[in-house]
mmCIF file with all atom_site columns, all heavy atoms in Angstrom:
data_model
loop_
_atom_site.group_PDB
_atom_site.id
_atom_site.type_symbol
_atom_site.label_atom_id
_atom_site.label_alt_id
_atom_site.label_comp_id
_atom_site.label_asym_id
_atom_site.label_entity_id
_atom_site.label_seq_id
_atom_site.pdbx_PDB_ins_code
_atom_site.Cartn_x
_atom_site.Cartn_y
_atom_site.Cartn_z
_atom_site.occupancy
_atom_site.B_iso_or_equiv
_atom_site.pdbx_formal_charge
_atom_site.auth_seq_id
_atom_site.auth_comp_id
_atom_site.auth_asym_id
_atom_site.auth_atom_id
_atom_site.pdbx_PDB_model_num
ATOM 1  N N   . ASN A 1 46 ? 21.305 4.143  -48.589 1.00 93.00 ? 903 ASN A N   1
ATOM 2  C CA  . ASN A 1 46 ? 22.624 3.874  -48.010 1.00 93.00 ? 903 ASN A CA  1
ATOM 3  C C   . ASN A 1 46 ? 23.729 4.476  -48.865 1.00 93.00 ? 903 ASN A C   1
ATOM 4  O O   . ASN A 1 46 ? 24.693 5.040  -48.341 1.00 93.00 ? 903 ASN A O   1
ATOM 5  C CB  . ASN A 1 46 ? 22.850 2.373  -47.845 1.00 93.00 ? 903 ASN A CB  1
ATOM 6  C CG  . ASN A 1 46 ? 22.046 1.789  -46.708 1.00 93.00 ? 903 ASN A CG  1
ATOM 7  O OD1 . ASN A 1 46 ? 21.575 2.503  -45.842 1.00 93.00 ? 903 ASN A OD1 1
ATOM 8  N ND2 . ASN A 1 46 ? 21.884 0.482  -46.719 1.00 93.00 ? 903 ASN A ND2 1
ATOM 9  N N   . GLY A 1 49 ? 23.817 8.135  -48.282 1.00 90.00 ? 906 GLY A N   1
ATOM 10 C CA  . GLY A 1 49 ? 24.427 8.392  -46.978 1.00 90.00 ? 906 GLY A CA  1
ATOM 11 C C   . GLY A 1 49 ? 25.938 8.263  -47.016 1.00 90.00 ? 906 GLY A C   1
ATOM 12 O O   . GLY A 1 49 ? 26.662 9.080  -46.428 1.00 90.00 ? 906 GLY A O   1
ATOM 13 N N   . GLU A 1 50 ? 26.422 7.257  -47.713 1.00 92.00 ? 907 GLU A N   1
ATOM 14 C CA  . GLU A 1 50 ? 27.870 7.066  -47.825 1.00 92.00 ? 907 GLU A CA  1
ATOM 15 C C   . GLU A 1 50 ? 28.509 8.216  -48.587 1.00 92.00 ? 907 GLU A C   1
ATOM 16 O O   . GLU A 1 50 ? 29.570 8.713  -48.212 1.00 92.00 ? 907 GLU A O   1
ATOM 17 C CB  . GLU A 1 50 ? 28.167 5.735  -48.523 1.00 92.00 ? 907 GLU A CB  1
ATOM 18 C CG  . GLU A 1 50 ? 27.832 4.522  -47.677 1.00 92.00 ? 907 GLU A CG  1
ATOM 19 C CD  . GLU A 1 50 ? 27.899 3.229  -48.467 1.00 92.00 ? 907 GLU A CD  1
ATOM 20 O OE1 . GLU A 1 50 ? 28.185 3.264  -49.690 1.00 92.00 ? 907 GLU A OE1 1
ATOM 21 O OE2 . GLU A 1 50 ? 27.646 2.175  -47.861 1.00 92.00 ? 907 GLU A OE2 1
ATOM 22 N N   . ARG A 1 51 ? 27.856 8.658  -49.651 1.00 91.00 ? 908 ARG A N   1
ATOM 23 C CA  . ARG A 1 51 ? 28.417 9.772  -50.436 1.00 91.00 ? 908 ARG A CA  1
ATOM 24 C C   . ARG A 1 51 ? 28.426 11.064 -49.630 1.00 91.00 ? 908 ARG A C   1
ATOM 25 O O   . ARG A 1 51 ? 29.387 11.828 -49.688 1.00 91.00 ? 908 ARG A O   1
ATOM 26 C CB  . ARG A 1 51 ? 27.645 9.941  -51.733 1.00 91.00 ? 908 ARG A CB  1
ATOM 27 C CG  . ARG A 1 51 ? 27.754 8.681  -52.573 1.00 91.00 ? 908 ARG A CG  1
ATOM 28 C CD  . ARG A 1 51 ? 27.802 8.812  -53.998 1.00 91.00 ? 908 ARG A CD  1
ATOM 29 N NE  . ARG A 1 51 ? 28.212 10.087 -54.485 1.00 91.00 ? 908 ARG A NE  1
ATOM 30 C CZ  . ARG A 1 51 ? 28.622 10.272 -55.720 1.00 91.00 ? 908 ARG A CZ  1
ATOM 31 N NH1 . ARG A 1 51 ? 28.716 9.265  -56.518 1.00 91.00 ? 908 ARG A NH1 1
ATOM 32 N NH2 . ARG A 1 51 ? 28.972 11.456 -56.132 1.00 91.00 ? 908 ARG A NH2 1
ATOM 33 N N   . ALA A 1 53 ? 28.586 11.237 -46.390 1.00 91.00 ? 910 ALA A N   1
ATOM 34 C CA  . ALA A 1 53 ? 29.615 11.090 -45.364 1.00 91.00 ? 910 ALA A CA  1
ATOM 35 C C   . ALA A 1 53 ? 31.003 11.378 -45.938 1.00 91.00 ? 910 ALA A C   1
ATOM 36 O O   . ALA A 1 53 ? 31.809 12.065 -45.296 1.00 91.00 ? 910 ALA A O   1
ATOM 37 C CB  . ALA A 1 53 ? 29.561 9.681  -44.778 1.00 91.00 ? 910 ALA A CB  1
ATOM 38 N N   . GLY A 1 58 ? 32.597 12.614 -42.613 1.00 68.00 ? 915 GLY A N   1
ATOM 39 C CA  . GLY A 1 58 ? 32.148 11.775 -41.501 1.00 68.00 ? 915 GLY A CA  1
ATOM 40 C C   . GLY A 1 58 ? 32.099 10.322 -41.904 1.00 68.00 ? 915 GLY A C   1
ATOM 41 O O   . GLY A 1 58 ? 32.679 9.930  -42.913 1.00 68.00 ? 915 GLY A O   1
ATOM 42 N N   . ASP A 1 59 ? 31.422 9.532  -41.081 1.00 58.00 ? 916 ASP A N   1
ATOM 43 C CA  . ASP A 1 59 ? 31.233 8.133  -41.468 1.00 58.00 ? 916 ASP A CA  1
ATOM 44 C C   . ASP A 1 59 ? 29.750 7.906  -41.742 1.00 58.00 ? 916 ASP A C   1
ATOM 45 O O   . ASP A 1 59 ? 28.876 8.559  -41.190 1.00 58.00 ? 916 ASP A O   1
ATOM 46 C CB  . ASP A 1 59 ? 31.786 7.156  -40.443 1.00 58.00 ? 916 ASP A CB  1
ATOM 47 C CG  . ASP A 1 59 ? 31.021 7.135  -39.142 1.00 58.00 ? 916 ASP A CG  1
ATOM 48 O OD1 . ASP A 1 59 ? 29.967 7.792  -39.047 1.00 58.00 ? 916 ASP A OD1 1
ATOM 49 O OD2 . ASP A 1 59 ? 31.459 6.442  -38.224 1.00 58.00 ? 916 ASP A OD2 1
ATOM 50 N N   . ALA A 1 60 ? 29.467 6.957  -42.595 1.00 51.00 ? 917 ALA A N   1
ATOM 51 C CA  . ALA A 1 60 ? 28.093 6.694  -43.017 1.00 51.00 ? 917 ALA A CA  1
ATOM 52 C C   . ALA A 1 60 ? 27.286 6.015  -41.939 1.00 51.00 ? 917 ALA A C   1
ATOM 53 O O   . ALA A 1 60 ? 26.071 6.012  -41.989 1.00 51.00 ? 917 ALA A O   1
ATOM 54 C CB  . ALA A 1 60 ? 28.085 5.839  -44.285 1.00 51.00 ? 917 ALA A CB  1
ATOM 55 N N   . GLY A 1 61 ? 27.936 5.452  -40.956 1.00 54.00 ? 918 GLY A N   1
ATOM 56 C CA  . GLY A 1 61 ? 27.231 4.732  -39.910 1.00 54.00 ? 918 GLY A CA  1
ATOM 57 C C   . GLY A 1 61 ? 26.584 5.648  -38.877 1.00 54.00 ? 918 GLY A C   1
ATOM 58 O O   . GLY A 1 61 ? 25.778 5.216  -38.084 1.00 54.00 ? 918 GLY A O   1
ATOM 59 N N   . GLY A 1 62 ? 26.875 6.907  -38.879 1.00 49.00 ? 919 GLY A N   1
ATOM 60 C CA  . GLY A 1 62 ? 26.258 7.828  -37.923 1.00 49.00 ? 919 GLY A CA  1
ATOM 61 C C   . GLY A 1 62 ? 27.251 8.203  -36.916 1.00 49.00 ? 919 GLY A C   1
ATOM 62 O O   . GLY A 1 62 ? 27.325 8.451  -35.855 1.00 49.00 ? 919 GLY A O   1
#
Side-chain angles (χ1 to χ4, degrees):
N903 287 342
E907 290 170 359
R908 299 215 21 163
D916 69 6

